[in-house]
Amino acid sequence: MRKIILMMQVSLDGFIEGPDRDLSWHRVDEELHSHFNEELRTMGAFLDGRVTYELMADYWPTADQDPSSTAPEIEFARIWRDMPKIVYSRTLAEAGWNTEVVRDVVVEDIMKLKEQPGGDLAVGGADLSAAFRRLGLIDEYRIYVHPVVIGQGKPLFQETDAMTPLRLLGSRTFGNGVVLLRYAPETARGYAESR
């Protein structure tokens, strides 16, 4: 069965973007971008909220035609265009570039999607990932911690009454100081045994 994987970049203080959707603090160099391409090219689909989709659709469809684009950016533009995408939105009427618009996150529909053949499913966007987390649909967290404290912005995780115990699957440090932390939700039994 395919997994739902949350892949997000975050500041050390837990923000995915600064004020006014500022992402200038991201330290995505060629090594990190090549890593993203390796991970994402094997996915079966990208699952995004409307805001994330629109940010991606605003740049990536033609990024490979920009003479200033790096080789990893050119490669990712092609990955993004060709990848099946599902955008969850109650307001978006239609979307291009191999994208299906879905109104709500429905557990039964996600389970059917996971049962289909193909690569894992990458979920992106803080609001959408909060919905997936609330419904217990995230199988793995891949959090890329950037070595910067930005002080304010949009947090990766929204406030909730539910705790999600996690177990570390692995970590990796990149040359630019970004650290990848990979976690899976701990089973209720496994959590109880470790206490």
Side-chain angles (χ1 to χ4, degrees):
M1 183 177 284
R2 304 198 286 186
K3 294 189 297 186
I4 303 286
I5 300 174
L6 171 64
M7 294 182 67
M8 292 293 284
Q9 299 185 69
V10 64
S11 65
L12 183 60
D13 51 346
F15 297 105
I16 62 166
E17 60 185 34
D20 300 317
R21 296 198 170 128
D22 177 34
L23 302 176
S24 64
W25 51 271
H26 283 193
R27 294 191 179 180
V28 181
D29 59 9
E30 286 207 27
E31 177 194 20
L32 185 56
H33 210 299
S34 294
H35 164 80
F36 290 150
N37 291 351
E38 288 170 25
E39 296 290 309
L40 293 171
R41 90 165 52 88
T42 65
M43 293 292 168
F46 296 155
L47 314 178
D48 290 320
R50 180 191 55 79
V51 172
T52 300
Y53 172 79
E54 287 178 342
L55 286 171
M56 300 296 280
D58 192 43
Y59 179 74
W60 290 110
T62 59
D64 57 340
Q65 298 165 20
D66 184 339
S68 67
S69 291
T70 65
E73 290 171 335
I74 291 168
E75 181 183 14
F76 182 73
R78 295 171 183 155
I79 292 169
W80 188 86
R81 270 197 316 261
D82 294 343
M83 184 65 62
K85 291 170 279 300
I86 299 173
V87 60
Y88 291 86
S89 173
R90 293 187 182 128
T91 59
L92 195 63
E94 59 183 41
W97 302 286
N98 202 16
T99 304
E100 174 187 0
V101 178
V102 174
R103 297 293 171 220
D104 292 300
V105 178
V106 177
V107 173
E108 294 78 16
D109 294 343
I110 300 299
M111 297 312 291
K112 287 177 188 171
L113 192 60
K114 287 177 67 171
E115 290 170 358
Q116 293 176 8
D120 291 332
L121 307 164
V123 65
D127 296 335
L128 184 62
S129 65
F132 273 68
R133 180 175 169 259
R134 213 174 22 258
L135 296 169
L137 294 171
I138 298 176
D139 299 302
E140 184 177 328
Y141 294 82
R142 294 182 189 170
I143 309 300
Y144 295 83
V145 181
H146 289 250
V148 60
V149 175
I150 63 173
Q152 59 181 325
K154 183 167 190 162
L156 171 56
F157 296 110
Q158 300 174 1
E159 281 191 33
T160 178
D161 292 334
M163 182 174 67
T164 305
L166 304 171
R167 65 182 159 81
L168 182 65
L169 298 176
S171 63
R172 175 177 173 183
T173 303
F174 294 89
N176 60 7
V178 171
V179 177
L180 164 60
L181 300 171
R182 291 181 52 232
Y183 291 97
E186 190 70 79
T187 62
R189 182 174 167 225
Y191 178 66
E193 288 172 357
S194 68
R195 290 179 57 99

